[in-house]
Structure formats: structure tokens, C-alpha cells
Amino acid sequence: MIHIERRIALVVMACLLSLPGLSQLPLFPTPAEVRMAQGHFTVGRELQVSSNGGYAGKLAGILSEELKAMDGDASSSGQVYLELDERAALPDEGYVLEVTPAKVVLKASSEAGLFYAKETFLQLAEATDGKVRCCRIEDAPRYAWRGFMLDESRHFFGKEKVKQYLDIMASLKMNVFHWHLTDEPGWRIEIKKYPKLTAEGAVGNWHDPKAPAQFYTQDDIREIVAYAAERHIMILPEFDMPGHATAACRLYPEVSGGGEGKWEGFTFHPCKEETFEFISNIFDEIISLFPSPYIHVGGDEVHFGNQSWYTDPEIQQFIKDKNLGNEVGLEHYFIRRINDMLAAKGKIMIGWDEIVDAGVSPDKSVVMWWRHDKKYQLVKALENGYKVIMTPRRPLYADFVQYGQHRVGRTWGGYNPIEDVYRFPESIIHLAQGYEEQIMGLQFSLWTERVADAKRLDFMAFPRLAAVAESAWTLAKRKEYSLFMQKLPKFLETLDELGIYYFNPFCPDSTPEPDAPDKEDVLKNG
Ligand code: TNX
């Protein structure tokens, strides 16, 4: 009797698992539609990879090498075919992957789509040691913007680490790397016209003002931009202004707008022609390096360090002459002028959500919503016609801790556990009702004041990045937290193989929190 009951239970479970949505493949992120079928395709050394030429041919060559490196079953003689077909009119970045015992077909109407078909097949092959279950996958992203931001001003991590993150992002189908390259402690991008920016401005980091200069040369930047492009990742450079400009103002005091105490030199001078010329020249070099249609200009937290705007006679006169009302009006004037400057150079400006109040043109600018405690700023941006990228501090700032026992990193009436990351944007999306088309997507942002080395960087990024990727790519109706957690161990295995130190949400105490030097210590130690 017991025997029969157990058999029934097994059959019921098998049926449940075969329902769409429940039968899950070990894929990050979960695809839109999966239909499982009988049998397997075996990856092996005799495998033939072919294509309909052009980009598909190039990708076939790459896939062939990647599969060979897996050292699969020697006897396999299967075929893999990649087809780029614009007339098939598959969604942008979307693809179809069909696995049958003898043949695998990857099909897309865009290069990015074909690339993602390849990433999906590779993940399947790796997760199953080359024995891929037959299936048909039809996939396309929920959001066009699937981003990760890295702050390399506060601490610098370097080319190899960035490339490793680009590899992982590509595998997770993330497509924007937002690079925060300028801020208070250090300037990290070579600008030929202003050599002091890196010769001296790259010296120091958040916890050690004397740390040796670390920055990217223009050759490094070109190399990383190309590396990212091969993986269908756009690099969005950020040059923060008029606040968070300390590293530049330190070296070029003629463009500094003052600031007090620990915010000395925090802002650019908001009305000198020399400032706009300086910024324009830097933009020209940035634009020559980054093909992205967007440039991020910050625009956040100006009030931290604009004390001298209130007393400087030249600034006060300017406010009167231009009828700007007050210092906030001047801040908005500055942002509008930068917006026009970038538009004249053919670029769309992206700024933190403060720019909504500046009244910049929604045709020429995009808003990054970051102040989770100011939900109305998101609504205001949408109502005013802006496109918005969502990266609210809670739950999408990676410098917030992910576990209640962690002590290094931020909290704000709570913290950012992987579950909250996964449940975004469903937790707030009602605010965007009627404006869904204006939401470009979302981004995980890693600020690095309290992240001084690669070990801590990885610990803060992983495994939450996998949850972000799924939140950005996977349709809400296909997201299920318990299923995500069931497959997460596969992702952790991949991280192990890469030698990445991550937080293990299944046994939180097995992965102690790496420490980070504090500024106070440095000051105390002289
Ligand atoms: C706020 S986000 C900032 C950053 C800090 C971050 C730390 C934003 C636009 N400004 O300068 O690094 O908080 O969480």
C-alpha cells in the first residue's frame, strides 16, 4: 500500500515538474518559454558547428572553441547550426534555441539575440556536462537596460577584474556596464588635454589619500570598450558634475566652485565660461573613446559642497543677472547647459534623479532613479515624460549589506537581501502604472567607499548579480523566488570555478564578511 502511495506521489511530482514554469533548466536568467522534449544532445569533440555566415559564422567559430574546451564525449557527432535571419523578425535581443538529439539550432534576428542563444546553449552544456536535454526555448528580454555600475573612483580594481565582470555579465545577459570614473578621491580616466587629472588626480583612494596613482589609459579604455562590445555590452561612462568633482577641482582650482570642510572643492564653478570649456574638452575625449549614445553626468548631491555659491560675489551676481532665483536655480541652469552641450555633440545625457527638477528636455535626457525614499521622484520623472532606469538604493545598491549580521556596508531602515533584489521591480512597479513603456530597465550599482579590494567587491556583487539579471531579463510571470533559490547552487558552482568569493545565502556563516579599511582608522593612524 505504502509502495503504491509513494509511486503516486512520484508521478504527481513528475507531472508538476513537467508543467511549464516548474520544469526548470539550470539557466540564469530564466527564459521566457521552455518546452522540454525527449532525449539528449551530446556535446563532443567531433561536433560540427556551422552557420549562415557573417556574424553567425564568427559566433560559430567562438562557440566551437568554447565547446571544445569542455572536452565532451569523444563519440558525439552532433551538429550545431547558427542562423542570423532578419526576416524571421524575432524580437530584438530575442532568440530561438532548439535542441534535438542530432542537431542544435540557434536562431535570431539580431546579433545580440544570436549571442544570447549561444550563451544559453553554453550554460546548458556546462551545467549538464555536455548532455543537454532536448528542448525548445523561445526567449526575449523584459527590459532593454540590464545594467551594473562600478565605482572605481573610491577604489580602483583594474582591467582584469573589469573584464571578468564583463564575462559574467554577458553570461547573465546583462548589457550595460556603467563606469563611475570620477568622484572625490580619484580621477581614473586619462584625458590628454589635462594630464594632471591622472598624473596627480589618480593618486589616492577613499581610505588612503596617498595610494599610488591608478587609472585607465585611453588605450586601456579602448581595449575594454571593444571587449565589452564583443559581448554585446555597452559601456556608459560617468563624469560626475557639478558635485562629486573634487578630484578635478583639486588639480584645476580655476574651475572649482568651492565647498567647505570635508567637501572642499566638491563642485565645479557653476557659471565661469572656463568651467564649461574645461568640461566640453573632456567630453570630446570621452566621446572619442565611448561609442555609447549616452553620457552620464551625475548631477547628484550638489548641496553637499556648494556652500561657497552662497557667498561668492561673482556667483551671486550671475544668479541675479540670469534671474535664476537662488542657488538651486543655478544648479538647474548648470544641468540644462550641460544637457544642451551634450545634445550639440550628438549625445543623450543621463543623470541621477535630481535632473528631473532641472527641467531638462525628455528628448535629450534619461533619468536614473536612485533615491528609494523619494518614490515621488520616480513618478514625477515618468509624468514629465522621461525615460527612466531604476536603481533605487533599496534594493539595488550593492554597497548595502545582504545579511542582517553583516557590519561592513550600508543599511537604511533595512538592507538588501537577495530576496528583495529578486522581487524587484514587482515590489514597486505599481508606481509606474500607465508609464511602463518609459521604464528602460534596471541596474545594480556598486559604490565602493567600503570596498577596497577584489575579495570584498565579489562578496558584495555575488550572488545578488544573478538575481538582478533575472529581474531585468525574465518576465514577471516567469519569476518565482523559490525556484530561483533552487537553481542558485548551480550559479554558486560557477563562481567557485572562477575563484570568486561570494556570500552564501544557504549557509551565511560559512562565508565570513571581508573587512574594509575605515577612513577613521586612517585619520587616527595619521
Ligand atoms: C550616494 S548614488 C551617492 C554616491 C555614494 C552612494 C553610497 C548617488 C547618485 N550618490 O556618491 O557612493 O550614495 O551608497
Side-chain angles (χ1 to χ4, degrees), residues 154 183 244 300-301 352 370 397 399-400 410 447 449:
R154 271 59 175 266
D183 215 303
H244 291 282
D300 55 314
E301 299 177 326
W352 299 109
W370 68 282
Y397 269 17
D399 59 333
F400 277 60
R410 296 192 77 186
W447 301 99
E449 287 94 335

Side-chain angles (χ1 to χ4, degrees), residues 415-426:
Y415 54 98
N416 293 343
I418 192 165
E419 179 165 0
D420 289 6
V421 175
Y422 190 82
R423 296 195 189 280
F424 191 86
E426 285 68 60

